[in-house]
Amino acid sequence: MKLVVLLIGCCFSLYLSASPVLVGISQDVLPAKSGNTVSFERALLQSLFTELGYQPEFVPAPHARMTRMLQLRQLDIAARQGGTPQAGLFYTRPYLQFDNRVFALASFRGALNSVQDLSRYHLASFQNARQILGPEFAAVVSKAPSYREVISHAQLVDLLKKQRVELLVLDKVTFERRWRETGGQLAQVKSFGLFAKASHSFACHQAALCQALDRKLQQWQDNGALARLRQQIRQQQNSQN
């Protein structure tokens, strides 16, 4: 019993002495107020930093502002960073990949051969898609009859299901999971691959911290821990839906 108490005391002391680190994470991947399970991304960050001896303090922020917050030293780490690397910042290897596709109901008869073709339709997409998918996409949707970005993926999918938009842009895995949650069948929809797959890394303003995080991330990828965590989070999400 004394040994158990001693171990608990040691662990608690280590927790208190862990160095705090401010971690910027997109507002749309924080646990929902309804009590949904914590996201894979937050769980990964919590585990990695704990193993590195840091006490992560999560800072919810709009995705579009996180790079700037990192540059201003308002954050130590920014999650889900992709696109062109910014001068003065350091990046880990990719830890997350999205296959963003254009979805339509099976009855859709339009031809989509390029991003430019999207300008003819009413469409919606995930939050900050204009920044994430690049200037060509941003220019095209500015010409569309209507365009909106929605934080909630469930609400986004509902727009297509209720035919309030003709097209929807979302990650393939996310769309298929959300569509099935509505009771829909995948045969009811079709998709178009107009975008390159997007890879995301963690970004830091300190090289040493980024290098340590990158080494730990590589270790998790090599020993299968990253894949196991992703599967665990998916199972938790499915069990609560």
Side-chain angles (χ1 to χ4, degrees), residues 21-26 41 45-46 49 55-61 66 74-79 202:
V21 60
L22 297 178
V23 181
I25 190 166
S26 296
E41 196 166 28
L45 286 162
Q46 181 71 57
F49 281 120
Q55 182 181 335
E57 297 179 8
F58 293 101
V59 180
M66 282 203 294
Q74 295 172 348
L75 299 171
D76 296 307
I77 303 286
F202 298 121

Side-chain angles (χ1 to χ4, degrees), residues 8-21 49-50 52-57:
I8 293 175
C10 290
C11 290
F12 185 67
S13 296
L14 287 172
Y15 175 78
L16 290 177
S17 63
S19 300
V21 60
F49 281 120
T50 298
L52 287 170
Y54 290 95
Q55 182 181 335
E57 297 179 8

Side-chain angles (χ1 to χ4, degrees), residues 29-32 35-43 233 236-237 240:
V29 297
L30 288 172
N36 288 342
T37 185
V38 71
S39 71
F40 160 74
E41 196 166 28
R42 183 181 174 115
I233 296 301
Q236 290 176 356
Q237 290 174 335
Q240 293 192 12

Side-chain angles (χ1 to χ4, degrees), residues 77-99:
I77 303 286
R80 202 175 293 199
Q81 297 299 292
T84 304
Q86 300 296 305
L89 298 182
F90 305 90
Y91 298 83
T92 68
R93 67 194 62 242
Y95 69 94
L96 194 63
Q97 187 178 73
F98 291 107
D99 182 9

Side-chain angles (χ1 to χ4, degrees), residues 8 38 60 80 82 109 120-122 130 153 185 198 202 209 220 232 240:
I8 293 175
V38 71
R80 202 175 293 199
R109 294 292 178 262
R120 301 194 296 268
Y121 303 100
H122 298 270
R130 280 171 291 194
H153 294 157
Q185 302 295 318
F202 298 121
L209 179 60
W220 271 53
Q232 176 186 343
Q240 293 192 12

Side-chain angles (χ1 to χ4, degrees), residues 13 35 39 69 73 90 115 151 176 191-192 226-227 230 234 236 239 241:
S13 296
S39 71
M69 291 175 68
R73 305 299 193 265
F90 305 90
V115 174
I151 296 177
E176 291 180 352
S191 69
F192 304 84
L226 188 65
R230 182 180 289 110
R234 285 178 180 172
Q236 290 176 356
S239 68
N241 290 321

Side-chain angles (χ1 to χ4, degrees), residues 2-239:
K2 291 182 178 179
L3 178 59
V4 173
V5 172
L6 180 61
L7 288 173
I8 293 175
C10 290
C11 290
F12 185 67
S13 296
L14 287 172
Y15 175 78
L16 290 177
S17 63
S19 300
V21 60
L22 297 178
V23 181
I25 190 166
S26 296
Q27 291 174 329
D28 62 332
V29 297
L30 288 172
K33 292 181 180 179
S34 59
N36 288 342
T37 185
V38 71
S39 71
F40 160 74
E41 196 166 28
R42 183 181 174 115
L44 173 62
L45 286 162
Q46 181 71 57
S47 299
L48 291 176
F49 281 120
T50 298
E51 288 192 9
L52 287 170
Y54 290 95
Q55 182 181 335
E57 297 179 8
F58 293 101
V59 180
H63 185 275
R65 288 184 51 205
M66 282 203 294
T67 299
R68 185 57 180 160
M69 291 175 68
L70 191 61
Q71 293 170 329
L72 293 174
R73 305 299 193 265
Q74 295 172 348
L75 299 171
D76 296 307
I77 303 286
R80 202 175 293 199
Q81 297 299 292
T84 304
Q86 300 296 305
L89 298 182
F90 305 90
Y91 298 83
T92 68
R93 67 194 62 242
Y95 69 94
L96 194 63
Q97 187 178 73
F98 291 107
D99 182 9
N100 293 308
R101 301 180 66 86
V102 180
F103 292 89
L105 296 178
S107 58
F108 178 74
R109 294 292 178 262
L112 297 180
N113 299 309
S114 71
V115 174
Q116 295 295 326
D117 295 330
L118 298 176
S119 64
R120 301 194 296 268
Y121 303 100
H122 298 270
L123 67 154
S125 68
F126 57 90
Q127 188 185 34
N128 298 314
R130 280 171 291 194
Q131 289 80 19
I132 295 170
L133 297 178
E136 181 184 16
F137 178 78
V140 166
V141 298
S142 68
K143 303 174 185 176
S146 68
Y147 174 74
R148 68 181 89 175
E149 294 184 356
V150 181
I151 296 177
S152 168
H153 294 157
Q155 293 177 9
L156 184 59
V157 169
D158 194 53
L159 290 174
L160 181 64
K161 193 175 183 66
K162 293 181 178 179
Q163 301 184 50
R164 293 177 180 171
V165 296
E166 297 171 277
L167 302 173
L168 178 155
V169 179
L170 191 60
D171 168 63
K172 180 178 183 292
V173 172
T174 303
F175 175 86
E176 291 180 352
R177 178 167 63 86
R178 291 298 186 181
W179 186 262
R180 284 192 292 263
E181 288 173 2
T182 68
Q185 302 295 318
L186 294 181
Q188 297 173 305
V189 296
K190 62 175 66 173
S191 69
F192 304 84
L194 304 183
F195 311 104
K197 290 185 179 180
S199 296
H200 296 272
S201 303
F202 298 121
C204 326
H205 61 75
Q206 295 181 14
L209 179 60
C210 204
Q211 290 167 0
L213 183 59
D214 185 66
R215 287 193 297 269
K216 181 60 66 174
L217 185 57
Q218 181 179 14
Q219 179 184 335
W220 271 53
Q221 289 175 335
D222 292 344
N223 65 20
L226 188 65
R228 289 193 296 273
L229 178 63
R230 182 180 289 110
Q231 182 62 29
Q232 176 186 343
I233 296 301
R234 285 178 180 172
Q235 290 174 348
Q236 290 176 356
Q237 290 174 335
N238 291 336
S239 68

